Amino acid sequence: MGAYLFRRILYGILVLVGVNMITFGLFFFVNSPDDMARAQLGLKRVTPAAVEKWKVERGYDKPLFVNNAVQGFAKVNETIFYEKSIKLFAFEFGESDQGRNIGFDIANRMWPSLAVQLPAFMIGLPIYLSFALLMAFLRSTYVDIWGVLLCVLMMSISVMFYIIAGQYFFGKLWNLVPISGYDTGFDAIKFLALPILISVISGLGSNARWYRTIFLEEMSKDYVRTARAKGLPEHKVLFVHVLKNALIPILTGVVALIPMLFMGALITESFFGIPGLGSYTIDAITQQDFAIVRAMVFLGSVLYIIGLILTDISYTLVDPRVRLS
Amino acid sequence: MTHYRLDFLWSDYLVWSIVSAVIIYAWYVQKYPHLLSPWKLVVCNSRGMAAATVFLVFIVISCADSIHYRSELSVQDGKSVYSTELNSALDLILEPIKKNREKTYSAPFATHLFSKETVKNELGHDQRIFPRLRFGGTHLADPVADWLPDIFKKSLSGILMACVIWLFGFLVVLSVMSRLKKTPIKKLYASIWSDSSMSAFRAVCITIAIMLLIGVPLVYLASYYHVFGTDKVGQDVCYQALKSIRTGMVIGLLATIVTLPIAVLLGVMAGYLRGWVDDCIQYIYTTLSSIPSVLLIAASVLMMQVYIENHTELFPSAESRADIRLLALCVILGMTSWTGLCRLLRGESMRLRELEYIQAAHAFAVSDWRIMMQHILPNVMHIVIMALVMDFSGLVLAEAVLSYVGVGVDTSMMSFGTMINSARLEMAREPMVWWSLSVAFTFMLLLVLAANIFADAVREAFDPRLKAKVP
């Protein structure tokens, strides 16, 4: 197990190197820093001096890989590749265009994101599971058929519709919660209630349907037929035997999502004005702050890889048949 | 008579090549019973066929919007000078509602503007009133009294027209069918409403009836009113929604198709060849899928934007720039979604390579390339078809989100995302401007729902695992 995990972590680092190469290629090869400076400064103010100033401010004035102007280690150290790419591995994200430390911002903005995502996840999962179980228990009845149709309908509605409708009804018409904003401590609850509710509702369709297929797949297996042949009542078959076994693929799939909760929900945070990582990302994209985008790409990949490794571990924990080697 | 010059955009060529590819595929499939049999299941699925009918309407609209032309303005020295405005066949059909712009917001079916304006009355005094619209409801002498009866009358005659059209079409189809099947019309008619084997046909008839009952009155009313209102600059919302359909369609279809060759080739190669090839390919798709898709898309789109801005000489007109941006968005979206398909194909090829017929091909010294192309590829095509139809709806929804974030299609290009994005700010107005948002969401819902239900029908027919489970 230990050796296997070590190998997985090494592989994860290799993937991160690949991610870094992709972002480095995207940001420095497809367009040169000069191109980016020109595009960001706008067409009118482009003078060679302004471009040069823009590059110096952001540290893009150095050579890409080898700096021949200096001696020793600095030859590799004082380059764009080292400053912008290698340093990410030490979680040194540098400074944003506003001159703020990106690492500090990320550490601060993580918590509001988690405050929305974690409750939504904890409330959502049991709801999705019980809805899926209900449909699977009453399969091929009208409850199941209309349930699936409802899921498809809910999947087909854009997240933005849920948010806008929620803000309109709960915020504007009924004045139950403020339309947007954020506060610290216990006051945050009134700001968080609606985003959490909407996250749960918007995920219902796709998740419940997916869990239903997993349940149905599990129900077509041999041990279920045996259980029925023994004369077990259907509810016992479903809630004891099937549920336990179906939870293996469901839980392991869910574990991969847990680290991603930190990244926040882009649209929800932006509409509700929650100062989390999701709105941070959107702001960075609209302001074309390349340093933040690079940092978020790296952070996202790190969390994804952690999720993959957690999935592997959880497999061995819930399913004794799986041996990692 | 004015002359026209066809002026296709890149995405037009791709749309038409997809249409022709689908036709060739259909012609190819009907020759082989084993390829035809799953499609027969799809055709017998009444829910799926009803969705397909709705979807077909969207396809026809976006095809009409994919024939671009420029009209001739004048002739100088024997050479024609063409307009800078690029129009499509859909613009030609919608010319009346496109041309009739109002000043600013007006509600659906309104006769007056949504906001008050200062106008001089007969006596020369300034007055704050809601002015009459330039176009909507101008045929009414007294808008307050005549408005409701007029709309009622027009929609009633629209409904009557719809009934006539439907009955006529129904009778034509019925007589053709009775000629082909050599059964008397009366018997055929009875079987349509009672026979379970005709349930899909019944569903299609009912869907067409509903669409006609809603559509015909709207089309009739659209020549007198702005049926879905107008937006901030007075543009008809109905026109915007119809133009947005093509953008959504192009993204939904092209994004998967553009990267399909890579996904199929890499997936089959990884599954069949195994070894270091497999390791490399697995590494590539793990790396790509480890980047959160929105960020990868955002980074790529930002970079592409910079590229287009710095190379304006390559893209002469604003339309071609917007079009290239749309295509690039498709490629980028495809890049983020091909990994899932690649993984599925790898797994399936890995399963297939252990089967006897592949072993036999090996024993006959068939080359690896030939085995992959001739023996494995045809047997994983059902996964490709399922992926094509199932990715569609997600991509259409993603477009709206990306446009909101600011990395979607060009702002000059009409799409559901840009419609929602510009209408979002109107939410705060009192009273609320609700129509742009609702129309954009309704059209998007119709498109995505039709695609989802059709995709389910296709999956039910093609997925062997689902087939085994049906008792």
Side-chain angles (χ1 to χ4, degrees):
Chain A
M1 175 97 178
Y4 175 80
L5 272 185
F6 183 68
R7 263 212 321 271
R8 289 297 294 178
I9 290 169
L10 274 189
Y11 190 72
I13 291 172
L14 202 65
V15 169
L16 277 182
V17 172
V19 169
N20 254 7
M21 296 223 291
I22 293 174
T23 39
F24 189 77
L26 260 180
F27 280 88
F28 297 104
F29 274 108
V30 177
N31 298 291
S32 67
D34 287 49
D35 288 337
M36 287 198 279
R38 268 196 292 275
Q40 222 175 28
L41 290 170
L43 289 169
K44 281 180 192 155
R45 284 168 292 158
V46 178
T47 55
V51 169
E52 213 42 50
K53 187 166 165 273
W54 187 90
K55 278 162 62 182
V56 172
E57 273 171 11
R58 285 161 187 75
Y60 292 151
D61 55 331
K62 291 168 183 147
L64 276 184
F65 294 110
V66 185
N67 193 346
N68 283 322
V70 285
Q71 289 301 313
F73 272 125
K75 248 188 167 96
V76 235
N77 279 358
E78 287 186 18
T79 57
I80 290 182
F81 183 68
Y82 181 82
E83 291 277 331
K84 305 289 171 201
S85 197
I86 305 283
K87 273 195 174 171
L88 290 179
F89 282 99
F91 291 94
E92 277 182 37
F93 299 122
E95 284 185 350
S96 66
D97 280 357
Q98 270 101 31
R100 294 173 62 90
N101 186 307
I102 297 176
F104 178 77
D105 271 351
I106 288 177
N108 273 333
R109 282 172 162 256
M110 221 154 75
W111 307 112
S113 283
L114 208 60
V116 180
Q117 294 284 85
L118 197 65
F121 177 75
M122 303 289 264
I123 298 168
L125 192 62
I127 292 179
Y128 305 154
L129 277 179
S130 29
F131 191 41
L133 261 181
L134 180 76
M135 285 191 288
F137 187 57
L138 299 168
R139 65 193 170 283
S140 352
T141 62
Y142 278 105
V143 176
D144 182 32
I145 293 166
W146 287 102
V148 172
L149 265 184
L150 181 71
C151 285
V152 174
L153 182 71
M154 291 186 80
M155 278 164 64
S156 309
I157 297 173
S158 169
V159 187
M160 290 201 267
F161 177 79
Y162 290 114
I163 298 173
I164 290 175
Q167 279 182 330
Y168 179 71
F169 287 110
F170 290 91
K172 205 169 168 184
L173 216 56
W174 300 330
N175 275 322
L176 290 175
V177 286
I179 288 181
S180 73
Y182 190 70
D183 207 344
T184 47
F186 266 107
D187 293 332
I189 290 176
K190 66 173 190 278
F191 290 105
L192 290 178
L194 190 56
I196 291 171
L197 178 74
I198 282 168
S199 306
V200 171
I201 291 177
S202 61
L204 179 68
S206 51
N207 282 307
R209 203 170 79 125
W210 179 43
Y211 296 153
R212 174 184 167 273
T213 24
I214 292 179
F215 283 130
L216 286 185
E217 203 159 309
E218 205 62 37
M219 280 159 83
S220 63
K221 289 197 172 151
D222 288 341
Y223 73 89
V224 178
R225 198 186 306 133
T226 314
R228 284 197 189 124
K230 280 196 307 191
L232 277 185
E234 184 67 18
H235 64 90
K236 243 184 189 163
V237 174
L238 193 65
F239 293 108
V240 179
H241 295 234
V242 172
L243 183 59
K244 257 191 198 166
N245 285 291
L247 278 181
I248 295 174
I250 289 173
L251 281 185
T252 44
V254 159
V255 163
L257 299 177
I258 291 175
M260 297 310 276
L261 296 181
F262 283 100
M263 291 294 281
L266 292 176
I267 302 297
T268 317
E269 282 180 17
S270 149
F271 268 93
F272 287 103
I274 293 164
L277 283 182
S279 51
Y280 189 56
T281 315
I282 289 198
D283 291 345
I285 293 169
T286 44
Q287 290 160 9
Q288 307 211 340
D289 195 326
F290 303 123
I292 301 180
V293 173
R294 275 199 305 271
M296 292 307 290
V297 166
F298 185 78
L299 187 71
S301 324
V302 171
L303 293 173
Y304 178 85
I305 289 160
I306 294 176
L308 281 187
I309 295 171
L310 284 181
T311 313
D312 282 348
I313 298 174
S314 62
Y315 251 121
T316 49
L317 294 182
V318 289
D319 192 348
R321 289 170 301 183
V322 177
R323 289 269 171 273
L324 296 183
S325 57
Chain B
M1 196 204 137
T2 41
H3 288 271
Y4 298 111
R5 187 186 67 182
L6 284 181
D7 196 349
F8 274 37
L9 296 167
W10 279 105
S11 56
D12 294 339
Y13 288 117
L14 284 168
V15 166
W16 288 108
S17 49
I18 291 176
V19 170
S20 37
V22 169
I23 292 170
I24 293 170
Y25 174 75
W27 171 79
Y28 180 77
V29 159
Q30 54 91 28
K31 288 198 299 186
Y32 298 98
H34 70 279
L35 291 177
L36 198 59
S37 68
W39 285 112
K40 273 186 179 155
L41 281 179
V42 176
V43 171
C44 291
N45 187 324
S46 51
R47 217 185 292 157
M49 283 320 282
T53 317
V54 178
F55 200 65
L56 198 67
V57 174
F58 283 108
I59 290 179
V60 169
I61 291 173
S62 44
C63 282
D65 205 6
S66 296
I67 308 170
H68 283 96
Y69 68 91
R70 286 176 203 279
S71 42
E72 188 182 56
L73 292 177
S74 60
V75 181
Q76 281 179 350
D77 319 328
K79 270 188 179 172
S80 323
V81 177
Y82 289 99
S83 146
T84 49
E85 195 188 13
L86 191 64
N87 279 320
S88 73
L90 187 69
D91 289 315
L92 200 65
I93 300 166
L94 298 177
E95 189 126 30
I97 58 172
K98 185 189 173 192
K99 282 264 168 67
N100 291 307
R101 280 186 169 227
E102 303 297 342
K103 225 174 205 165
T104 179
Y105 297 118
S106 68
F109 298 109
T111 52
H112 292 84
L113 267 189
F114 187 63
S115 49
K116 276 189 176 170
E117 261 180 22
T118 310
V119 193
K120 285 215 190 316
N121 62 4
E122 311 83 84
L123 299 170
H125 297 303
D126 284 346
Q127 230 180 351
R128 295 282 293 168
I129 52 157
F130 294 106
R132 280 292 289 271
L133 294 180
R134 286 180 207 152
F135 164 71
T138 37
H139 63 291
L140 298 176
D142 178 12
V144 182
D146 295 345
W147 180 70
L148 201 63
D150 184 61
I151 286 182
F152 190 70
K153 216 172 70 192
K154 291 212 158 62
S155 25
L156 207 67
S157 43
I159 288 171
L160 271 177
M161 269 191 274
C163 293
V164 172
I165 295 171
W166 185 82
L167 270 178
F168 179 72
F170 185 68
L171 285 177
V172 169
V173 172
L174 211 63
S175 54
V176 170
M177 271 170 71
S178 78
R179 186 71 54 82
L180 286 176
K181 288 189 170 179
K182 297 195 174 62
T183 39
I185 283 192
K186 257 188 182 165
K187 207 173 150 196
L188 196 67
Y189 179 79
S191 77
I192 283 174
W193 303 112
S194 57
D195 206 345
S196 66
S197 64
M198 296 290 261
S199 71
F201 182 73
R202 204 157 59 214
V204 170
C205 288
I206 293 170
T207 316
I208 291 175
I210 293 172
M211 283 196 297
L212 282 174
L213 282 179
I214 297 171
V216 175
L218 277 183
V219 169
Y220 186 46
L221 280 164
S223 45
Y224 295 96
Y225 298 95
H226 294 288
V227 281
F228 294 145
T230 53
D231 73 347
K232 192 174 182 180
V233 291
Q235 178 75 268
D236 191 286
V237 174
C238 179
Y239 171 72
Q240 289 178 356
L242 288 173
K243 289 286 278 184
S244 303
I245 292 172
R246 175 179 182 265
T247 316
M249 273 288 186
V250 166
I251 288 181
L253 287 174
L254 280 187
T256 349
I257 290 178
V258 169
T259 48
L260 198 62
I262 316 174
V264 171
L265 192 68
L266 290 187
V268 171
M269 267 167 65
Y272 176 72
L273 295 175
R274 308 299 316 269
W276 64 270
V277 179
D278 188 22
D279 289 339
C280 285
I281 292 167
Q282 255 186 302
Y283 175 72
I284 292 172
Y285 71 60
T286 317
T287 307
L288 271 179
S289 59
S290 80
I291 305 176
S293 54
V294 178
L295 280 164
L296 184 60
I297 293 165
S300 319
V301 171
L302 283 180
M303 286 303 111
M304 184 196 65
Q305 228 167 300
V306 172
Y307 185 83
I308 292 177
E309 272 167 41
N310 283 314
H311 297 83
T312 34
E313 72 280 359
L314 293 177
F315 316 108
S317 63
E319 282 94 357
S320 71
R321 226 167 299 153
D323 188 61
I324 282 295
R325 191 167 164 178
L326 175 70
L327 281 187
L329 185 69
C330 289
V331 175
I332 295 164
L333 274 170
M335 267 312 186
T336 54
S337 65
W338 71 273
T339 50
L341 177 61
C342 192
R343 188 174 299 151
L344 284 177
L345 288 175
R346 174 179 168 270
E348 185 68 11
S349 319
M350 237 155 78
R351 194 181 67 82
L352 289 178
R353 83 190 283 267
E354 304 301 328
L355 295 186
E356 276 111 350
Y357 79 99
I358 301 286
Q359 305 292 335
H362 253 310
F364 282 119
V366 181
S367 72
D368 281 342
W369 178 253
R370 240 183 113 86
I371 292 183
M372 280 194 281
M373 289 299 115
Q374 292 217 318
H375 298 294
I376 294 193
L377 191 60
N379 288 305
V380 296
M381 277 320 267
H382 66 281
I383 296 181
V384 175
I385 290 171
M386 282 195 289
L388 269 183
V389 290
M390 286 172 72
D391 283 352
F392 180 88
S393 49
L395 289 164
V396 175
L397 290 176
E399 185 274 328
V401 170
L402 291 176
S403 292
Y404 169 76
V405 179
V407 290
V409 293
D410 198 85
T411 38
S412 67
M413 182 171 254
M414 279 175 230
S415 79
F416 296 125
T418 44
M419 267 178 92
I420 292 169
N421 206 6
S422 54
R424 197 173 48 89
L425 301 169
E426 298 158 7
M427 286 272 296
R429 274 179 76 108
E430 199 64 51
M432 209 171 85
V433 177
W434 48 269
W435 46 89
S436 286
L437 269 182
S438 346
V439 169
F441 280 128
T442 313
F443 267 71
M444 206 157 79
L445 173 70
L446 277 180
L447 178 60
V448 174
L449 189 64
N452 267 334
I453 294 177
F454 181 67
D456 271 2
V458 170
R459 199 171 55 136
E460 259 171 50
F462 278 86
D463 197 340
R465 287 191 308 171
L466 283 179
K467 249 188 280 180
K469 235 174 299 154
V470 177

